[in-house]
Amino acid sequence: MFKKFLGSVREFKTPTILTLIFIVAEVVIEVFIPFVTALLISYIQTPSADPLADISFLAGKIQPTDTLQMPVILGFGITLIIMAMLSLTCGGVAAYTCAKASSGFSRNLRQDVFDRIQTFSFENIDKFSSTSLVTRLTTDIHNVQMSYMMIIRTAIRAPLMLIFAIVMAAVMGGWLAMSFVVLVPLLAGGLLLISRRAMPAFRAVFRKYDRLNESIEENVRGMRVVKGFSREEYEKKKFGAAADDIRADFTRAERIVALNSPLMQVCVYANMIFVMLVGSMLTLDSFGELVNVGHMSAMLTYGMQILMQLMMLSMIYVMLTMSSESMKRIIEVLDENSALTNPEHPVMSVADGSIDFDDVSFKYSAKAERFALSDVNLHIRSGMTVGILGGTGSSKTTLVQLIPRLYDVTEGTVRVGGVDVREYDLDTLRGAVAMVLQKNLLFSGTIKENLRWGNENASDEEIVEACRLAQAHDFVSSFPEGYDTHIEQGGTNVSGGQKQRLCIARALLKKPKILILDDSTSAVDTQTDAFIRAGFRSYIPDTTKIIIAQRVSSVQDADLILVMENGKIAAMGDHQTLLAGCDIYQEIYTQQTRGGGDDE
């Protein structure tokens, strides 16, 4: 798992390594500051002694006297200032490189996860909810970023500081360092116990974030419905319940983690009492030969450093444990392989728009009890116009999703241009098929930018022509900024019918070999619908056109009409054939034309 995460470090290896180097330098300097301070205090207390006798390579430079020498004191002061400045510089550089490395790592990791999601088939997307994927790309990656920051900085600094401080405490304090034999295991054990007790609550939080984000997404996307039914109070309570659930878990966890501070304070003050009491006794008994005030000062500082580093290690443990759940959720996405892959030697061109279904059956999951499609046999010549009618749940959309290989068939074969769709390069196949959905999406940007999703190199003339054919040019021209009008996220500043016509124009710019309209004229009137279909005949006569519709008038002039029921093709033929021999089609037609709405 860690190896996979390290793969996202990439170009940020240098700042990561620099962070480690400067952290080591900072720690070394910082642990020597109390040592030099202790020498200074010892010299001030007893100027007749050699303050540097413990440092062999400096011994002899200062001659012991009975009076304080200001150059010596100034020398110590300058040394401490230099050491403090070096420590500060190393810490500042480490903080900068650490921030750069962790931010870059999270950017790369977020890009890697997003890139992986882009390879997913519909089957893979069905496995993860959209809100869960959003949470993994945001909250979970943020947690991993914080862990990475702590690992390359605090998780290196704390153990090194702990080890160096214990060594220096033993050197400076002698028997006084025995206090750490009791306090270190006591504090370490207590912090570990506290952390382990808090972990179940932290783990539960991340699973509940998905539900919270789901509530937000549903509310924002369905704001018009919420206001239309005056359900604001219900949505507030729903969101409040999800937020309160997370608050309760965090409160429970933080209540346990809050015990860290009093435990830490007990150990710090216990160490201070021990050092002051025992150190004073040893100083008096030995007349400062075994322990002096300088040693006691160093012991207090090293004691604080040791206990603080244990505290930091506890926080690292908590953060890493919290992040482990996020890591697992991210790895689930990175390890998820697309259910649809390119063959070893893919076909790189689509000959024409002919479509063949041979004994096709399909179900969305291997565990599903029933097939969504059963025993489908269908042959469509290139350039034909095919209409599909059927009730809700008859699997009309499922049928057409097999053509661009958004799903793979469970049984049988789907061929496009005479070639099994599983033998095509996926981009090649989908480049030859354009789908316009009933709830198609417009992205943030101008109308022109949205239309060029169909053909990024389309000229302004081609864009206008496609919009004329899709009956979109008139309303676009009525906007003050015309084709440069900005579309809000999701196309919320245009009507449903306008959005559908823009999506049809976008598909026409693609000039596909197969055009699939999945109930994509449901929001336009019948006259506009007829104009759009007439445009298809003149603009893309050689393109195979598949029109899923609820209105008979939208498909009655098609070359072939399919009537679907319960995942099967109940009947097929042209309008007159079905009107004469298909009860389902007759019923739909009669219901829609009762009162003279449609002509035969």
Side-chain angles (χ1 to χ4, degrees):
M1 182 170 70
F2 287 105
K3 184 178 180 181
K4 189 176 291 289
F5 280 117
L6 288 175
S8 297
V9 177
R10 294 198 286 277
E11 69 270 29
F12 295 97
K13 289 180 181 177
T14 298
T16 298
I17 294 171
L18 287 175
T19 299
L20 302 179
I21 292 173
F22 281 103
I23 284 296
V24 172
E26 180 190 15
V27 168
V28 171
I29 296 170
E30 198 164 322
V31 294
F32 271 101
I33 289 177
F35 179 70
V36 176
T37 303
L39 294 179
L40 174 59
I41 294 173
S42 298
Y43 176 71
I44 293 173
Q45 181 186 13
T46 313
S48 61
D50 185 353
L52 304 177
D54 293 332
I55 309 177
S56 59
F57 64 88
L58 291 177
K61 287 189 177 182
I62 300 175
Q63 298 299 321
T65 66
D66 291 331
T67 60
L68 290 174
Q69 300 182 48
M70 288 307 298
V72 176
I73 296 176
L74 288 174
F76 276 116
I78 293 170
T79 300
L80 287 171
I81 291 173
I82 292 173
M83 293 177 72
M85 293 300 295
L86 286 174
S87 177
L88 179 63
T89 301
C90 289
V93 174
Y96 170 76
T97 56
C98 179
K100 184 176 180 180
S102 59
S103 298
F105 162 72
S106 68
R107 185 202 70 183
N108 288 346
L109 180 59
R110 189 171 286 111
Q111 187 67 53
D112 292 343
V113 174
F114 185 80
D115 290 347
R116 172 63 67 174
I117 293 172
Q118 297 307 302
T119 68
F120 285 176
S121 66
F122 279 18
E123 181 179 338
N124 299 111
I125 295 294
D126 293 341
K127 182 176 178 180
F128 302 96
S129 69
S130 59
T131 51
S132 178
L133 290 174
V134 169
T135 304
R136 294 168 202 242
L137 277 165
T138 53
T139 303
D140 288 330
I141 288 182
H142 174 73
N143 289 334
V144 174
Q145 175 187 349
M146 296 303 295
S147 291
Y148 185 73
M149 182 184 294
M150 294 189 77
I151 287 172
I152 65 174
R153 189 178 184 192
T154 311
I156 298 299
R157 189 183 192 281
L160 284 177
M161 180 69 78
L162 182 65
I163 294 170
F164 289 170
I166 288 176
V167 171
M168 293 302 295
V171 171
M172 293 295 294
W175 286 102
L176 287 180
M178 292 302 294
S179 64
F180 300 124
V181 175
V182 176
L183 293 178
V184 169
L186 176 64
L187 182 58
L191 295 175
L192 182 62
L193 179 62
I194 290 171
S195 301
R196 297 185 74 171
R197 290 287 301 275
M199 282 313 103
F202 280 127
R203 290 193 185 101
V205 166
F206 295 108
R207 290 189 291 271
K208 293 176 180 178
Y209 267 128
D210 288 346
R211 293 198 289 273
L212 182 68
N213 287 340
E214 183 178 356
S215 176
I216 296 171
E217 183 182 22
E218 285 183 347
N219 184 269
V220 173
R221 287 183 179 275
M223 184 61 69
R224 287 172 173 78
V225 177
V226 172
K227 291 188 177 299
F229 285 87
S230 299
R231 298 286 283 177
E232 292 92 342
E233 291 303 317
Y234 170 80
E235 288 296 320
K236 288 179 184 178
K237 291 178 181 178
K238 179 181 173 183
F239 177 82
D244 195 59
D245 201 13
I246 292 177
R247 177 204 58 77
D249 280 343
F250 261 123
T251 302
R252 186 162 54 253
E254 293 293 346
R255 188 183 298 123
I256 299 172
V257 172
L259 296 174
N260 281 351
S261 183
L263 179 61
M264 175 73 180
Q265 294 297 325
V266 168
C267 292
V268 167
Y269 288 120
N271 178 67
M272 290 178 63
I273 292 171
F274 179 83
V275 170
M276 296 296 290
L277 182 61
V278 177
S280 298
M281 292 172 59
L282 290 175
T283 300
L284 293 174
D285 290 344
S286 65
F287 298 100
E289 293 183 4
L290 291 177
V291 177
N292 59 32
V293 176
H295 293 157
M296 291 171 60
S297 170
M299 284 299 298
L300 291 174
T301 304
Y302 286 130
M304 181 65 73
Q305 287 180 345
I306 290 169
L307 298 177
M308 282 300 297
Q309 300 320 307
L310 283 174
M311 185 76 163
M312 293 306 300
L313 287 174
S314 169
M315 298 306 297
I316 293 168
Y317 175 77
V318 170
M319 187 64 202
L320 290 179
T321 306
M322 288 173 58
S323 298
S324 66
E325 192 69 21
S326 293
M327 291 178 188
K328 291 175 185 176
R329 287 160 54 85
I330 294 170
I331 288 296
E332 284 177 356
V333 178
L334 292 175
D335 284 346
E336 181 75 10
N337 293 316
S338 176
L340 304 178
T341 56
N342 274 338
E344 186 175 353
H345 301 290
V347 177
M348 300 302 295
S349 64
V350 179
D352 55 45
S354 62
I355 304 168
D356 298 284
F357 284 74
D358 294 322
D359 301 317
V360 169
S361 295
F362 170 77
K363 55 184 177 181
Y364 286 98
S365 169
K367 299 178 182 178
E369 297 181 357
R370 60 180 295 273
F371 284 93
L373 289 171
S374 301
D375 305 320
V376 176
N377 285 279
L378 175 64
H379 303 284
I380 302 171
R381 297 188 309 276
S382 183
M384 288 182 67
T385 298
V386 179
I388 303 178
L389 291 174
T392 302
S394 60
S395 297
K396 304 183 296 295
T397 298
T398 303
L399 178 73
V400 298
Q401 285 177 339
L402 299 179
I403 297 172
R405 204 186 169 201
L406 299 178
Y407 291 98
D408 266 342
V409 297
T410 306
E411 298 175 3
T413 304
V414 176
R415 293 196 301 274
V416 170
V419 177
D420 190 330
V421 293
R422 290 168 290 194
E423 296 179 13
Y424 279 112
D425 172 72
L426 277 171
D427 289 340
T428 299
L429 174 64
R430 292 173 183 173
V433 180
M435 292 189 70
V436 185
L437 308 177
Q438 180 183 7
K439 296 181 179 179
N440 230 315
L441 182 66
L442 294 176
F443 297 90
S444 300
T446 65
I447 290 177
K448 190 178 295 184
E449 288 170 346
N450 269 276
L451 293 173
R452 283 192 171 130
W453 273 65
N455 178 5
E456 61 182 354
N457 298 315
S459 65
D460 290 349
E461 292 75 16
E462 288 175 320
I463 289 174
V464 171
E465 182 184 13
C467 284
R468 288 187 187 279
L469 293 167
Q471 305 302 305
H473 177 70
D474 289 346
F475 78 78
V476 173
S477 300
S478 69
F479 295 148
E481 297 181 35
Y483 286 88
D484 291 320
T485 300
H486 185 79
I487 296 293
E488 301 296 338
Q489 184 179 22
T492 55
N493 59 331
V494 292
S495 69
Q498 291 172 337
K499 188 188 302 183
Q500 285 186 338
R501 281 176 278 173
L502 287 173
C503 290
I504 291 172
R506 181 171 64 188
L508 290 174
L509 283 170
K510 195 174 181 180
K511 295 182 180 178
K513 289 185 168 60
I514 300 172
L515 174 64
I516 299 171
L517 305 180
D518 187 356
D519 205 12
S520 54
T521 57
S522 58
V524 301
D525 59 84
T526 55
Q527 184 179 20
T528 302
D529 186 11
F531 286 150
I532 292 172
R533 286 184 280 113
F536 291 165
R537 287 192 292 270
S538 63
Y539 187 68
I540 47 173
D542 298 326
T543 296
T544 302
K545 297 163 282 290
I546 299 177
I547 303 172
I548 297 175
Q550 300 296 330
R551 296 187 297 226
V552 171
S553 60
S554 296
V555 300
Q556 67 180 26
D557 58 350
D559 301 311
L560 178 67
I561 302 172
L562 310 180
V563 179
M564 298 198 64
E565 184 179 31
N566 297 325
K568 296 183 178 181
I569 298 177
M572 68 174 72
D574 60 19
H575 174 66
Q576 296 296 339
T577 301
L578 292 175
L579 201 58
C582 177
D583 293 339
I584 299 174
Y585 190 81
Q586 290 173 4
E587 182 180 354
I588 296 172
Y589 180 77
T590 302
Q591 289 176 348
Q592 293 184 4
T593 58
R594 186 176 296 152
D598 284 319
D599 294 325
E600 185 178 333

